[in-house]
C-alpha cells in the first residue's frame, strides 16, 4: 500500500508574534518545519510527502527539504487562506498510486512512527478515517460574553483530536470535492457520512500556538 503524507505548514502563526510564518519559527536550532519533515522522511510507513508551505515561502521549504536530504518530498505547494484550502492544495499533488493519505499539522512537530502506525492500522478494517486523540481530563465549561459561565459540559466521551489523521485516498478526495470548511479533515469525511474512529494520541503532539508552546516542545526535542 502506498502511503502519502500531506504536511500542512501554511499557517501564519500570528499568535507567535514573529515576522516569519510559524513553520519557519526557530525550534531549537532549526526552523520548526524541519522537525516533522525529518520525522516523516524517516518513517518506514511513509512513501511520499507533499509539503504545503506558506505562500511565497515555497523556495525556502524546497531548500530545507534538500538540506535534510528528504528524498520522499515529491512536491512543495503554496497553501491557502484556511487549513481546508491548504489541505486541498496538497491533495491535488497526491498521485493516483496513493492508497492511504496521512494529513499532518507541521505545528505538531513531534510526530512518531508509533502514532503513524496506530492511525494507519484501522484502515485495513474498512474505516473511512482514523484520528489520534486524548480523552478530555479537565472539566469543560462554556463561557459567555464577559467571562460568565453558561454551562458545564459533560466530558463523557469527549476527546481532543490531533494529527496525523489517516484516510483511504479516495475517501479523502471525495470529502474535499465541495467547498465545505472544517478545522480538521475528519470532520469533512464525517459530514459525508464516513465512519471515523479514534486511536490513542500522544501528549507530545501538542500543537504549537504560543511562544510558551514553542519552548515546551523545544524542551522535549
Ligand atoms: O491554525 P491551525 O490550528 O488551523 O493550524 C493547524 C495546521 O494547519 C498548522 O500546521 C498550519 O500551518 C496549517 N495551516 C495551513 N494553512 C492555513 C492555516 C493553517 O496549512 N491557511
Amino acid at each position: 500500500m502506498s502511503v502519502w503524507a500531506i504536511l500542512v505548514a501554511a499557517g501564519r502563526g500570528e499568535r507567535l508574534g514573529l515576522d516569519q510564518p510559524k513553520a519557519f519559527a526557530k525550534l531549537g536550532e532549526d526552523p520548526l518545519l524541519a522537525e516533522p519533515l525529518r520525522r516523516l522522511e524517516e518513517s518506514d510507513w511513509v512513501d511520499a510527502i507533499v509539503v504545503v508551505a506558506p505562500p511565497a515561502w515555497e523556495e525556502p521549504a524546497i531548500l530545507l527539504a534538500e538540506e535534510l536530504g528528504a528524498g520522499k518530498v515529491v512536491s512543495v505547494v503554496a497553501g491557502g487562506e484556511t487549513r481546508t484550502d491548504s489541505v486541498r492544495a496538497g491533495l491535488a499533488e497526491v498521485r493516483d498510486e496513493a492508497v492511504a493519505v496521512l494529513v499532518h499539522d507541521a505545528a505538531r512537530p513531534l510526530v512518531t512512527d508509533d502514532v503513524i502506525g496506530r492511525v494507519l492500522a484501522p484502515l485495513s478494517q474498512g474505516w473511512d478515517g482514523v484520528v489520534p486523540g486524548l480523552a478530555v481530563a479537565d472539566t469543560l465549561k462554556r463561557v459567555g460574553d464577559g467571562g460568565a459561565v453558561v454551562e458545564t459540559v459533560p466530558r463523557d466521551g469527549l476527546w481532543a483530536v490531533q494529527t496525523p489523521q489517516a484516510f483511504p485516498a479516495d475517501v479523502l478526495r471525495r470529502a474535499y470535492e465541495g467547498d465545505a470548511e472544517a478545522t480538521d479533515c475528519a470532520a469533512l469525511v464525517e459530514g459525508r457520512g464516513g465512519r471515523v474512529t479514534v486511536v490513542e494520541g500522544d501528549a507530545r503532539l501538542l500543537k504549537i500556538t504560543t511562544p510558551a508552546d514553542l519552548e515546551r516542545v523545544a524542551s522535549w526535542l
Side-chain angles (χ1 to χ4, degrees):
M1 134 164 150
S2 173
V3 177
W4 283 54
I6 300 173
L7 184 58
V8 282
R12 280 188 281 266
E14 278 157 4
R15 276 168 291 183
L16 281 182
L18 301 171
D19 292 335
Q20 73 270 51
K22 188 177 351 187
F24 289 90
K26 273 272 170 355
L27 178 70
E29 297 294 302
D30 294 319
L32 185 153
L33 177 59
E35 191 65 32
L37 188 52
R38 193 185 295 119
R39 287 165 178 251
L40 291 175
E41 174 71 24
E42 286 172 1
S43 172
D44 288 338
W45 297 104
V46 174
D47 298 303
I49 303 169
V50 174
V51 178
V52 184
W57 287 76
E58 299 97 303
E59 202 56 41
I62 291 168
L63 287 176
L64 180 64
E66 283 172 6
E67 270 171 36
L68 296 172
K72 292 180 186 173
V73 174
V74 292
S75 183
V76 177
V77 288
E81 197 53 39
T82 65
R83 184 185 189 277
T84 308
D85 292 337
S86 295
V87 174
R88 191 175 284 111
L91 200 49
E93 301 296 310
V94 173
R95 296 193 198 129
D96 290 345
E97 72 197 44
V99 175
V101 179
L102 289 169
V103 183
H104 184 59
D105 294 335
R108 304 179 192 274
L110 301 186
V111 58
T112 64
D113 236 18
D114 282 351
V115 78
I116 293 173
R118 283 204 293 280
V119 295
L120 287 173
L123 291 184
S124 59
Q125 297 153 22
W127 292 95
D128 296 313
V130 188
V131 300
L134 300 174
V136 172
D138 295 321
T139 298
L140 296 176
K141 294 190 193 293
R142 193 178 310 283
V143 180
D145 292 343
V149 171
V150 177
E151 62 170 333
T152 297
V153 183
R155 69 174 177 219
D156 298 348
L158 288 184
W159 290 63
V161 164
Q162 307 171 318
T163 73
Q165 301 189 347
F167 307 90
D170 55 336
V171 169
L172 193 62
R173 287 188 207 280
R174 278 199 299 278
Y176 276 84
E177 270 167 9
D179 52 10
E181 281 288 326
T183 51
D184 78 347
C185 303
L188 295 180
V189 171
E190 294 154 33
R192 297 179 67 106
R195 290 172 64 248
V196 174
T197 187
V198 182
V199 296
E200 191 66 29
D202 187 334
R204 295 193 171 201
L205 278 171
L206 174 80
K207 184 167 73 176
I208 293 177
T209 308
T210 64
D213 298 333
L214 199 55
E215 271 178 38
R216 189 178 322 169
V217 172
S219 77
W220 289 336
L221 282 175

